[in-house]
Amino acid sequence: MQVPRHETVHVIIKGVVQGVGYRHATVRRAHMLGVTGWVQNMEDGTVQALVQGTPDQVDHMLEWLRRGPPAAIVRDLITERDYTDKRYVRFEQL
């Protein structure tokens, strides 16, 4: 049996993404989709996340991150593939 391929993507989300429930909603969506990793606020006003899962799971998560929760205004989403061997067991807010 073939093990599903995993992808890891580092994401920087810019816009009105702090103080609007973005991180909490991201954790809920990640749990729904079954991805692992983390999300955190940064001092420069952005939110950063690391998303890990199958290519399909990661694509769905990135699609959601481009919109975010209703109060968020996402102006830019910067993604970079991460070639780490580290595997996360859950998705959490840092």
Side-chain angles (χ1 to χ4, degrees), residues 10-62:
H10 182 255
V11 188
I12 300 171
I13 304 106
K14 297 181 178 184
V16 181
V17 292
Q18 288 191 13
V20 295
Y22 195 96
R23 290 176 301 152
H24 184 69
T26 298
V27 171
R28 282 198 322 265
R29 181 57 56 133
H31 290 167
M32 246 176 65
L33 294 173
V35 298
T36 59
W38 51 261
V39 62
Q40 68 179 343
N41 281 345
M42 303 306 290
E43 288 184 14
D44 64 1
T46 64
V47 169
Q48 289 194 25
L50 187 93
V51 178
Q52 200 170 65
T54 66
D56 195 43
Q57 288 172 314
V58 170
D59 286 348
H60 282 93
M61 190 67 192
L62 292 176

Side-chain angles (χ1 to χ4, degrees), residues 74-91:
V74 178
R75 289 188 169 61
D76 196 13
L77 190 85
I78 301 164
T79 61
E80 182 179 334
R81 194 159 309 280
D82 188 332
Y83 295 98
T84 183
D85 288 330
K86 180 175 180 168
R87 293 283 176 255
Y88 292 85
V89 292
R90 70 182 70 80
F91 193 94

